[in-house]
Amino acid sequence: MDEKTIKQLVMAQRDYVTSMRREFHEYPEISGKEVHTRSLLIRELTRMGVDYTLLEGTGLIAVIKGSRPGRQLLLRADIDALPVQEDRMNLKQEKQCISHIPGVCHACGHDAHMAVLLGTMQALVHVRHELAGNVICCFEEGEETNCGIATMMKALENYHVDECFALHVYNGLEAGKVNIVPGPRMAGTIGIGIYLHGKSGHGSRPDQAVSTIIPAAHIVTALNSAFMNQLNVEETVTLGLGILSAGTATNVIPDQAYIGGTARFFDSQEGEKALQIINTITEHIAAAFHCTVTYEDRHNISPKAVVNDPRVTARIRRGMVQFGGQDYLGDCGRWFASECYSAYLDRYPGALGLLGIRNDTLGSGAAHHNGKFDIDESALPLGVLAELSFIFGE
């Protein structure tokens, strides 16, 4: 595939990806409830004449079959929105479109992910006669809550996949740039969900009770100290405790306390080490205060860090330069948010690209998961270019 043809394919999708992004944006659905969203995807796939398989839940897998044997390549887009009330204004002006569903909006850019992948698929359909191998297109439900990843990975056991690629729009990178580099790109998550169990009692006689508040307080301070002193300072691991709850009355010592939060990491060994530190400190302090411990199901590492394969990354970058030019490649730091796309990279060699959407003039660039979040739609064709570079790049 030559540079001129690729550029023509990309530009031909500009209006389509914009219109689809707006349609998805106006009718968002939260994780695991993306029924209308999937109906829109089915409508478009049927119009394109692309075969698809519906998964249990709301996800689906579509396959574009090439005209001759070749690589089996996978592209992925997530499809869910967030339980966030959208602000009509972005950072500077009124948005081009807003959610029509109160309390729900695409405040992370999954509407753009779907639109870009549909644009890429439409382009591939036009040049199917030049496509070697197959392109497996995954539309994954529930990324925000990780409720769809197990179903998707189970379904993919029925497919052979050589390499995978996905995009995530990113407010930390200017529009007109895409960041595709090797190594860690998004953080893994340690879910922290700790229950301390003691013995309730009257506030006037703490000696007759087994307080859970005091060991909970010790655990919180000990975790902060341990993270500072026991983890490799060259491998960043963050600790974010968001909940410390116990008791409902001032004169009653509660028999249960809860500590909840997350830790984020990029190096898998440090992540495992951090989880062990959390458990060791929790269990030893609890025992010292005669309490017992149970953990929530979410108290584990999930998802893992997103780590790009060097070989796949280099191939996509060469394709970007070949088909679009060096100027489209941009630099940005690692993103501390987490992504269950790491499950794909744990199974297949692949990469995640960060697609810039920040435009200070337009007012796009608010934080993800924020009511003012908005994207510069001019960035969408660059996403199609990146995905086509993955498909046709050498």
Side-chain angles (χ1 to χ4, degrees):
M1 190 71 67
D2 60 75
E3 174 188 347
K4 181 179 178 182
T5 302
I6 291 290
K7 286 184 175 179
Q8 289 174 342
L9 286 172
V10 170
M11 295 314 298
Q13 305 311 313
R14 180 176 55 187
D15 292 341
Y16 174 65
V17 295
T18 299
S19 66
M20 287 307 306
R21 181 260 164 179
R22 293 182 182 183
E23 188 168 7
F24 288 129
H25 191 88
E26 290 175 349
Y27 298 98
E29 294 169 300
I30 60 173
S31 305
K33 306 292 184 181
E34 308 96 324
V35 176
H36 177 68
T37 301
R38 185 161 77 168
S39 72
L40 294 180
L41 292 169
I42 291 171
R43 182 193 72 190
E44 294 305 303
L45 298 177
T46 301
R47 180 185 59 78
M48 293 181 201
V50 175
D51 294 334
Y52 60 86
T53 299
L54 301 181
L55 306 186
E56 182 180 353
T58 55
L60 65 84
I61 298 175
V63 179
I64 299 177
K65 298 178 181 178
S67 61
R68 61 186 188 276
R71 295 174 299 197
Q72 308 297 301
L73 301 178
L74 182 151
L75 290 168
R76 176 267 201 173
D78 36 16
I79 69 175
D80 55 330
L82 286 156
V84 172
Q85 179 62 43
E86 183 160 24
D87 195 319
R88 179 170 290 275
M89 303 293 291
N90 62 23
L91 294 177
K92 190 168 184 179
Q93 60 187 337
E94 189 169 321
K95 298 176 182 179
Q96 289 282 352
C97 67
I98 64 167
S99 170
H100 294 340
I101 310 300
V104 183
C105 74
H106 275 291
C108 200
H110 298 183
D111 52 344
H113 302 169
M114 289 185 283
V116 167
L117 182 49
L118 286 175
T120 299
M121 295 177 71
Q122 185 161 264
L124 289 173
V125 167
H126 287 304
V127 293
R128 191 179 303 196
H129 60 285
E130 296 191 44
L131 178 62
N134 299 328
V135 180
I136 302 159
C137 302
C138 300
F139 291 89
E140 179 192 321
E141 75 165 290
E143 186 278 330
E144 295 293 354
T145 63
N146 294 350
C147 70
I149 186 62
T151 300
M152 180 62 74
M153 300 313 292
K154 178 66 175 177
L156 286 172
E157 292 176 1
N158 298 317
Y159 299 80
H160 172 76
V161 176
D162 292 310
E163 296 175 357
C164 62
F165 182 56
L167 287 167
H168 203 303
V169 297
Y170 184 39
N171 76 316
L173 183 65
E174 66 269 25
K177 301 287 186 181
V178 61
N179 174 260
I180 308 172
V181 296
R185 300 312 299 145
M186 294 184 71
T189 295
I190 301 170
I192 301 172
I194 302 166
Y195 288 101
L196 296 173
H197 308 281
K199 179 182 176 183
S200 182
H202 196 286
S204 66
R205 289 298 303 268
D207 57 308
Q208 296 178 352
V210 178
S211 175
T212 54
I213 292 179
I214 296 171
H218 279 278
I219 289 168
V220 169
T221 56
L223 287 179
N224 275 279
S225 297
F227 268 49
M228 291 175 59
N229 293 286
Q230 297 184 38
L231 292 171
N232 185 347
V233 296
E234 296 181 354
E235 296 291 348
T236 301
V237 181
T238 66
L239 176 65
L241 298 177
I243 301 174
L244 175 56
S245 62
T248 58
T250 59
N251 61 347
V252 177
I253 294 173
D255 61 359
Q256 181 169 289
Y258 175 75
I259 302 169
T262 63
R264 308 293 174 123
F265 63 92
F266 293 100
D267 179 83
S268 60
Q269 289 185 339
E270 286 301 295
E272 293 284 354
K273 184 178 177 182
L275 178 58
Q276 185 59 52
I277 290 171
I278 293 168
N279 292 347
T280 299
I281 285 176
T282 296
E283 292 161 17
H284 281 73
I285 290 178
F289 286 87
H290 306 291
C291 290
T292 59
V293 177
T294 58
Y295 298 110
E296 279 188 299
D297 289 343
R298 61 180 289 273
H299 189 88
N300 54 40
I301 293 176
S302 181
K304 296 181 180 179
V306 172
V307 182
N308 285 351
D309 179 83
R311 184 179 58 82
V312 177
T313 302
R315 186 174 68 76
I316 301 171
R317 287 177 63 89
R318 288 194 300 270
M320 288 290 297
V321 173
Q322 176 187 353
F323 301 132
Q326 183 76 38
D327 290 344
Y328 286 127
L329 296 174
D331 293 322
C332 62
R334 299 178 297 182
W335 191 7
F336 278 82
S338 297
E339 240 284 2
C340 56
Y341 177 66
S342 59
Y344 299 76
L345 297 177
D346 204 36
R347 183 180 292 184
Y348 317 117
L352 175 78
L354 299 178
L355 180 64
I357 55 169
R358 190 184 73 241
N359 185 319
D360 294 338
T361 300
L362 295 179
S364 62
H368 295 251
H369 295 211
N370 182 298
K372 288 187 175 295
F373 178 83
D374 198 10
I375 72 172
D376 180 352
E377 293 176 329
S378 71
L380 300 180
L382 181 57
V384 176
L385 176 63
E387 293 185 344
L388 290 178
S389 296
F390 169 66
I391 301 301
F392 293 110
E394 297 296 338

